[in-house]
């Protein structure tokens, strides 16, 4: 039997052989890093129906500044996921569209979107619980600090 056949490394449902750890040059980590940028998946999803001008894309996305959109588009262009088309018109017109490589990310982005629709409420509830817990802890810490500063909760030895 070959060594490859006897090796048992965990796999994902898609058949990806999980590495022993996520080292810097791991291909899976590259994909995670791509999607870790706040606006990457949103911009890719915004371009799913075809090329758009930056203003149209920004309006469709909402909540993104022109600078952040421009930086995101440049980064995605550098990654080979988006291409810029400049038209020799007056006034000049620029459109951005997904490359064939960028289109391959639509499946994972849509899957993440579907997961978010299904489980988003549970995540928001957990975040709200954590926020309430932190607020309680901060109040307790402030109260404990005030007691120390004012001498409350400390025996002064008087009245014995």
């Amino acid at each position: 039997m070959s060594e490859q056949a006897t090796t048992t490394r965990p796999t994902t449902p898609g058949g990806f052989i999980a590495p022993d750890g996520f080292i810097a040059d791991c291909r899976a980590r590259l994909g995670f890093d791509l999607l870790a940028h706040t606006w990457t998946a949103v911009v890719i999803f915004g371009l799913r129906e075809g090329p758009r001008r930056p203003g149209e894309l920004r309006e469709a996305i909402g909540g993104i500044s022109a600078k952040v959109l421009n930086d995101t588009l440049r980064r995605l262009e550098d990654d080979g996921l988006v291409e810029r088309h400049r038209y020799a018109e007056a006034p000049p017109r620029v459109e951005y569209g997904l490359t064939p490589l960028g289109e391959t990310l639509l499946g994972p982005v849509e899957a993440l979107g579907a997961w978010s629709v299904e489980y988003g409420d549970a995540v928001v509830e957990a975040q709200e619980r954590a926020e309430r817990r932190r607020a309680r802890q901060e109040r307790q810490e402030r109260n404990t600090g005030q007691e120390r500063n004012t001498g409350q909760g400390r025996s002064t030895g008087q009245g014995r």
Side-chain angles (χ1 to χ4, degrees):
M1 201 183 293
S2 74
E3 182 180 321
Q4 197 173 35
T6 60
T7 303
T8 57
R9 291 192 335 198
T11 61
T12 65
F16 161 73
I17 297 175
D20 294 333
F22 290 108
I23 55 175
D25 62 349
C26 171
R27 292 296 179 229
R29 185 166 176 181
L30 178 132
F32 299 145
D33 287 347
L34 277 174
L35 292 178
H37 289 277
T38 303
W39 293 102
T40 295
V42 176
V43 170
I44 288 171
F45 193 74
L47 293 172
R48 72 190 179 284
E49 294 176 1
R52 287 187 164 181
R53 297 179 74 172
E56 296 168 346
L57 184 57
R58 188 169 168 230
E59 186 176 315
I61 292 171
I64 186 171
S65 70
K67 180 189 182 322
V68 170
L69 176 59
N70 191 41
D71 290 349
T72 302
L73 288 167
R74 281 189 188 150
R75 189 180 63 256
L76 293 174
E77 188 177 10
D78 291 347
D79 291 336
L81 303 173
V82 166
E83 57 190 355
R84 180 179 190 256
H85 296 279
R86 186 166 188 238
Y87 297 92
E89 299 174 350
R93 179 171 59 110
V94 174
E95 288 183 338
Y96 289 89
L98 294 174
T99 64
L101 181 61
E103 289 175 355
T104 65
L105 275 176
L106 286 173
V109 166
E110 289 170 349
L112 182 58
W115 180 90
S116 299
V117 168
E118 186 168 345
Y119 298 105
D121 289 343
V123 172
V124 169
E125 288 170 12
Q127 290 171 338
E128 289 171 349
R129 282 192 307 273
E131 190 175 315
R132 287 190 302 269
R133 185 186 69 243
R134 279 192 296 277
R136 274 193 313 272
Q137 288 171 341
E138 288 173 8
R139 279 193 308 273
Q140 288 172 348
E141 289 171 7
R142 277 195 310 268
N143 290 340
T144 302
Q146 288 173 351
E147 289 174 5
R148 278 191 221 126
N149 291 338
T150 61
Q152 293 176 359
R154 230 180 345 172
S155 175
T156 59
Q158 296 175 355
R160 282 189 175 168

